[in-house]
Amino acid sequence: MAKYWVIAPAEYSSSGSKADWYDTCWQYDHANGVIAIGWNLEEAPESPEHLRRLWAERADPAWSERGRRMVERFYFEIEDGDFVVARAGLLKYAGLGEFQGDAYYEEEASDQTWGGNLRKVRWQPDRSLRRSPVRFSQPTLYQLSPEKARLFNW
């Protein structure tokens, strides 16, 4: 059974440099049929254990255990055919899509999107900001309940 996920293409703001960065990331993601998640690991983890080692090696104080868990979900829990909402803040979303394949790392993408950790996504054509039928939570990545997912009319 397909799962539904929410991912922020970047930190959202309606104005200023954060708004520009969000637009840059979302335009790249939509145009290239991908979604990125932050935390530049400089390589794709092969397993949850490998991810834990990579995480420990990079030891940036801003990299929380919660962040590691999000990256682990991105690489090892999301499955081909699961659905994704690209959120913009807590009250809007920019796109709906379906995951296509496994997560991977692409260094060249890390300057144009939110890190080089990517997953292929078949995005619906409309990429404009819309009011969300649900209030999103703050984490970069989390699973959406089937009841809330139905409100998006996939």
Side-chain angles (χ1 to χ4, degrees):
M1 176 182 218
K3 294 174 274 186
Y4 299 86
W5 299 89
V6 175
I7 297 181
E11 189 174 352
Y12 178 76
S13 176
S14 59
S15 63
S17 62
K18 283 185 183 177
D20 293 343
W21 180 238
Y22 183 92
D23 288 343
T24 297
C25 292
W26 175 234
Q27 286 176 21
Y28 179 89
D29 288 351
H30 194 270
N32 290 281
V34 298
I35 189 73
I37 193 167
W39 298 286
N40 190 349
L41 300 173
E42 300 173 4
E43 64 182 281
E46 299 167 7
S47 66
E49 296 75 25
H50 183 220
L51 173 61
R52 286 183 194 94
R53 285 193 305 276
L54 289 173
W55 204 263
E57 288 169 9
R58 279 139 182 90
D60 184 326
W63 290 21
S64 67
E65 182 61 20
R66 183 171 145 189
R68 186 202 54 79
R69 181 70 181 122
M70 281 187 251
V71 175
E72 187 173 318
R73 283 183 160 176
F74 187 78
Y75 272 93
F76 304 110
E77 291 181 27
I78 293 173
E79 296 178 0
D80 190 33
D82 284 355
F83 296 95
V84 59
V85 178
R87 75 171 175 85
L90 301 179
L91 302 173
K92 297 177 183 176
Y93 70 102
L96 300 173
E98 182 180 346
F99 287 109
Q100 308 285 297
D102 294 331
Y104 61 98
Y105 180 77
E106 185 177 299
E107 185 175 347
E108 295 78 30
S110 63
D111 291 337
Q112 300 171 57
T113 192
W114 202 14
N117 303 294
L118 304 170
R119 290 194 80 106
K120 290 282 188 188
V121 176
R122 184 176 53 224
W123 292 110
Q124 291 181 356
D126 186 0
R127 63 177 196 86
S128 61
L129 290 180
R130 288 156 278 181
R131 185 170 180 78
S132 175
V134 301
R135 181 178 174 85
F136 295 117
S137 296
Q138 191 66 36
T140 301
L141 168 68
Y142 65 94
Q143 194 171 344
L144 193 63
S145 73
E147 296 78 28
K148 288 183 178 180
R150 276 192 216 85
L151 298 173
F152 288 92
N153 298 318
W154 253 288

